[in-house]
Amino acid sequence: MANRLQHETSPYLLQHADNPVDWYPWGEEALEAARTQDKPILLSIGYAACHWCHVMERESFENPDIAALMNQHFINIKVDREERPDLDTVYMAAAQMMTGQGGWPLTIFLMPDGKPFYAGTYFPPEDRSGMPGFPRVLLAVAEAYRNRRADLERAANDIQGHLTEHFRWSLPETAITPALLNEAASGLARQFDEANGGFGGAPKFPPPMALEFLLRYRLRTGSDTALRIVELTLERMARGGIHDQVGGGFHRYAVDATWLVPHFEKMLYDNALLARLYTLTYQATGHPFYAATALDTIEYVLREMTSPDGGFYSTQDADSEGEEGKFYVWTPEELEAVLGPEQAPIVARYYGVHPGGNFEGKSILHVPEAPESVAAAFDLTIDELVEIIGPAREKLYAARAQRVWPGRDEKILTDWNGLMLRALAQAAIALGRSDLRDAAVRNATFLHTHLYRDGRLLHSYKDGEAKITGYLADYASLIAGLLALYEATFDVRWIAWARDLTDRAIADFWDNEGGAFFDTSADDAPLVARPKDAFDSATPSGNSLMAESLLRLGLLLGEDDYRQRAMTVLERFAALAAKAPTGFGQLLCAADLALAEAHEIALVGDPQVPAMAEMLAVVQQPYLPHQVVALRHPDQDGEDEVIPLLAGRTARDGQPTAYVCRNYACRQPVTTAHDLAAELGMAVE
């Protein structure tokens, strides 16, 4: 019989709906059952694309004997960490305090009031390799709860106290200075893997926010080292197995130091952050390789991760047919069956496919050598090689599509959609792609229609149902996306919505006593501790992203309160960010903007007129992270009421006109792209 999870919409929870475990979703029903039955809570947190979550389900949660132990001794709660990042943040912090490590599946035992007292991650079904079997753990915890209850209560109270202190972030405020950015850049350079790119060794995760900071640092200082770190890392990732060479997009991380063998799950947020970073690097360098990689990633999302009405799905699984990576790997024989005996050896050499393979007897496609050497080995020109590889890739994709696909988590999360919205809008601007702009508008419209209710955001949408009160990350990510969308469309409604969301975020999440933002709204059901996160880990923290958006909105709207709140966030965390830069990449980007002499650029005129299009190219094609751009249409009223920067700006002699301002003090208006470039200090011919 199906358990209580059958009524949920989360694909991860539904995967467990037929387990013999008497699972509850998180909620008052489960907590009340723990209190009335006086049982401890077994809380299991995971997500749909998690390989080891699937393993533990097969081994333990589908095992009737283990399920019977769970049902006898515990109230069992299953949580999708993507739906409830607040629970994941709090209880993962507790697990790390208790064990020194974390990960998913997260297995944590709670008192009936929700206070944690014991934690682990994956447990095998029997004792194995020094790990206790899950039945042994269950019986030991149940025995301790019966016979040593007072000890567990003391431990749980201690952990709760540590959690409260952990999220208080009792750090001294530090002035934001260029020296802090120098310290952070030096720290990243020391951790840089000179051979393979990225930071540190295996496992190796893409570091998009730290690399974006280095891209900004290079612009600030002219540092060749910063640019070398960015370019080598992006090149190695794009050529590695972490990049799906056939279908596009990036897998979650590499288990090795060389980016070859990925953990095969694909996450929307990784692809959003990386697509944007490759776009920015194209703007900074002009190298078409980065533009091509950005487009390859975006096209993957639009093709495989987009709902019919414009929302973006969350993840694709690592497994298919019960095997990790099976969907993605190839043998020489499989290549020949698709491509024929003449082209298969060329494509195999290009993608590193060989007998015996590099992953469990098969080959993960990657680009292990320079295309020039592959072309030379087959007496081809580079153009001839490209003419072979491009069509071959399409054939391989079509053949792969006949395999059993990995599962897809089709819930739509506001925060991850906001990140993808920002990436799409940025690419539309940088690459001049109206189709990407249209996809971005469609996504923003979807979010406004389905995940915005009574002035507040909701977090998750699936099967026509939106639910869960929005978190700080939902507001921060969507506001950042709307700012980018405004500059891609100059449709003032997106700025109006961004301002409304910003004011709501301040009202619901701002910590008046400790400064910065909480992760959860003031009227959310209380947890054992109210989380406040500042780490930029797999995704930017709500505090980091809000800080930059507050600075940018402050520039556009002339709101000094926004800037002051951003500075409060930055001054609270900046010293720690300088010492641990890999964990604060987005915060460092915001600090860079706070220190910049940013330009506010007000344009007046029809963006379709060639002279205005030329001006837009000046301010949108290069990498210019220290500016905001607003545009006043000649035939629209009310734009200056939303964006005060546009107030009083008029066309000069009826021509498209640009005003370059700092702190709302504007220089003389100009009417040509040449003069606009000169005003911005660019080299002009």
Side-chain angles (χ1 to χ4, degrees):
M1 292 178 62
N3 55 50
R4 292 170 180 83
L5 300 183
Q6 65 182 302
H7 304 298
E8 297 297 303
T9 58
S10 158
Y12 176 65
L13 298 185
L14 290 171
Q15 288 171 5
H16 295 266
D18 293 318
N19 294 166
V21 178
D22 185 16
W23 290 117
Y24 288 78
W26 182 274
E28 184 54 34
E29 181 187 5
L31 300 177
E32 178 63 21
R35 290 190 293 266
T36 57
Q37 297 179 41
D38 192 22
K39 286 184 177 181
I41 294 168
L42 192 166
L43 175 63
S44 176
I45 301 178
Y47 57 101
C50 167
H51 171 71
W52 286 103
C53 300
H54 297 323
V55 172
M56 193 165 177
E57 180 188 15
R58 289 195 299 269
E59 293 177 340
S60 292
F61 303 148
E62 293 179 355
N63 182 310
D65 295 331
I66 294 177
L69 286 177
M70 296 171 65
N71 297 337
Q72 178 182 353
H73 297 292
F74 302 94
I75 297 299
N76 303 291
I77 301 179
K78 176 59 76 172
V79 164
D80 180 344
R81 69 174 294 260
E82 296 165 359
E83 273 198 341
R84 292 301 303 265
D86 55 336
L87 293 169
D88 185 60
T89 297
V90 169
Y91 288 116
M92 185 62 72
Q96 290 167 339
M97 289 174 184
M98 287 185 271
T99 68
Q101 60 187 5
W104 299 278
L106 175 62
T107 306
I108 191 158
F109 295 88
L110 317 177
M111 303 303 286
D113 60 4
K115 296 175 185 174
F117 64 86
Y118 184 75
T121 53
Y122 163 80
F123 290 104
E126 66 280 319
D127 295 354
R128 181 191 303 163
S129 304
M131 298 175 65
F134 197 42
R136 180 193 293 272
V137 171
L138 295 172
L139 290 172
V141 171
E143 188 276 333
Y145 189 79
R146 283 194 308 272
N147 299 323
R148 291 183 287 117
R149 177 78 167 266
D151 293 340
L152 298 188
E153 291 278 7
R154 281 192 294 272
N157 288 332
D158 286 345
I159 293 163
Q160 182 186 30
H162 289 308
L163 285 170
T164 300
E165 187 61 31
H166 171 76
F167 291 120
R168 187 173 286 131
W169 291 95
S170 300
L171 301 169
E173 293 186 3
T174 304
I176 308 300
T177 66
L180 289 175
L181 303 187
N182 295 341
E183 182 182 353
S186 296
L188 290 171
R190 286 193 299 273
Q191 297 178 65
F192 179 54
D193 181 345
E194 295 277 356
N196 305 298
F199 304 107
K204 190 167 279 183
F205 290 80
M209 290 165 281
L211 294 179
E212 184 184 346
F213 164 66
L214 289 174
L215 205 59
R216 292 184 182 219
Y217 188 75
R218 186 255 185 168
L219 186 67
R220 169 179 292 276
T221 67
S223 168
D224 291 335
T225 297
L227 183 61
R228 179 170 57 85
I229 292 172
V230 173
E231 292 206 87
L232 180 64
T233 304
L234 293 190
E235 186 229 345
R236 292 289 194 271
M237 286 197 303
R239 289 174 53 182
I242 193 173
H243 183 203
D244 181 355
Q245 302 292 335
V246 166
F250 287 84
H251 300 291
R252 177 70 194 97
Y253 66 89
V255 302
D256 54 25
T258 65
W259 308 107
L260 172 60
V261 180
H263 189 42
F264 287 90
E265 66 202 55
K266 284 182 175 180
M267 321 297 286
L268 177 64
Y269 58 77
D270 283 320
N271 287 284
L273 293 169
L274 287 169
R276 180 171 178 271
L277 178 62
Y278 278 96
T279 298
L280 298 178
T281 307
Y282 167 68
Q283 288 181 294
T285 65
H287 197 308
F289 172 78
Y290 302 119
T293 307
L295 280 173
D296 176 72
T297 306
I298 289 168
E299 287 167 357
Y300 151 71
V301 171
L302 294 178
R303 183 180 63 247
E304 296 184 20
M305 297 290 284
T306 304
S307 73
D309 42 8
F312 300 124
Y313 299 136
S314 294
T315 66
Q316 283 180 317
D317 211 332
D319 300 5
S320 55
E321 300 183 81
E323 295 181 28
E324 184 175 9
K326 183 174 183 179
F327 183 73
Y328 297 100
V329 294
W330 296 82
T331 64
E333 294 76 18
E334 288 171 333
L335 288 188
E336 184 169 333
V338 175
L339 303 174
E342 292 186 7
Q343 289 192 350
I346 301 170
V347 175
R349 174 75 176 264
Y350 183 85
Y351 282 130
V353 178
H354 53 80
N358 53 36
F359 180 76
E360 300 178 357
K362 294 190 175 185
S363 291
I364 300 163
L365 302 192
H366 64 302
V367 183
E369 57 185 310
E372 290 80 4
S373 66
V374 177
F378 292 93
D379 197 25
L380 300 169
T381 66
I382 282 292
D383 288 343
E384 289 171 335
L385 178 65
V386 169
E387 289 174 0
I388 292 171
I389 296 300
R393 185 176 183 240
E394 294 179 4
K395 292 177 183 176
L396 292 176
Y397 182 85
R400 195 178 76 175
Q402 303 306 309
R403 299 175 177 178
V404 176
W405 282 72
R408 182 172 65 188
D409 186 332
E410 295 187 354
K411 68 176 178 292
I412 294 167
L413 300 176
T414 299
D415 52 346
W416 298 4
N417 271 248
L419 295 176
M420 192 65 216
L421 171 63
R422 183 176 62 151
L424 268 177
Q426 190 84 46
I429 293 167
L431 307 178
R433 292 281 297 262
S434 61
D435 57 331
L436 303 186
R437 181 194 63 213
D438 293 344
V441 169
R442 193 160 171 256
N443 178 250
T445 303
F446 170 88
L447 296 173
H448 191 274
T449 301
H450 296 290
L451 284 150
Y452 184 57
R453 186 180 302 155
D454 300 326
R456 287 180 167 173
L457 291 175
L458 297 168
H459 175 61
S460 179
Y461 176 91
K462 188 172 183 295
D463 297 336
E465 180 182 349
K467 63 181 185 178
I468 305 173
T469 302
Y471 302 106
L472 175 65
D474 295 309
Y475 286 82
S477 299
L478 182 52
I479 291 164
L482 293 172
L483 285 168
L485 182 58
Y486 171 71
E487 293 196 2
T489 63
F490 296 113
D491 185 338
V492 75
R493 63 180 165 144
W494 304 125
I495 287 296
W497 191 25
R499 181 171 193 160
D500 290 345
L501 293 175
T502 300
D503 291 340
R504 171 59 68 181
I506 292 169
D508 287 357
F509 299 95
W510 184 256
D511 181 357
N512 288 312
E513 295 181 4
F517 292 91
F518 289 110
D519 292 350
T520 55
S521 173
D523 54 7
D524 280 346
L527 305 178
V528 294
R530 190 176 179 189
K532 180 195 289 182
D533 198 10
F535 285 113
D536 302 314
S537 51
T539 56
S541 76
N543 270 291
S544 298
L545 209 50
M546 277 300 298
E548 180 161 6
S549 292
L550 285 167
L551 290 172
R552 294 181 65 79
L553 270 174
L555 290 168
L556 268 177
L557 306 180
E559 285 282 359
D560 190 59
D561 176 67
Y562 288 174
R563 176 175 176 81
Q564 291 303 320
R565 291 182 191 273
M567 296 306 294
T568 297
V569 172
L570 295 176
E571 289 165 357
R572 174 59 54 92
F573 301 114
L576 182 57
K579 290 179 172 55
T582 56
F584 291 91
Q586 180 62 51
L587 190 102
L588 290 165
C589 289
D592 169 72
L593 179 59
L595 287 170
E597 294 185 354
H599 287 113
E600 306 123 24
I601 300 169
L603 304 173
V604 183
D606 183 348
Q608 304 302 318
V609 171
M612 179 57 76
E614 292 172 4
M615 286 187 177
L616 285 170
V618 168
V619 298
Q620 292 191 324
Q621 296 304 304
Y623 180 56
L624 299 171
H626 305 141
Q627 67 173 26
V628 293
V629 182
L631 185 141
R632 184 172 189 170
H633 296 81
D635 57 349
Q636 294 183 21
D637 295 326
E639 291 176 314
D640 57 342
E641 296 174 8
V642 178
I643 304 177
L645 177 62
L646 296 174
R649 313 298 177 205
T650 58
R652 190 176 187 182
D653 300 326
Q655 301 179 73
T657 304
Y659 297 79
V660 176
C661 316
R662 279 184 180 161
N663 299 318
Y664 273 60
C666 302
R667 296 195 283 272
Q668 288 296 312
V670 297
T671 57
T672 68
H674 180 280
D675 290 344
L676 176 56
E679 285 289 313
L680 293 169
M682 299 177 181
V684 294
E685 298 179 359

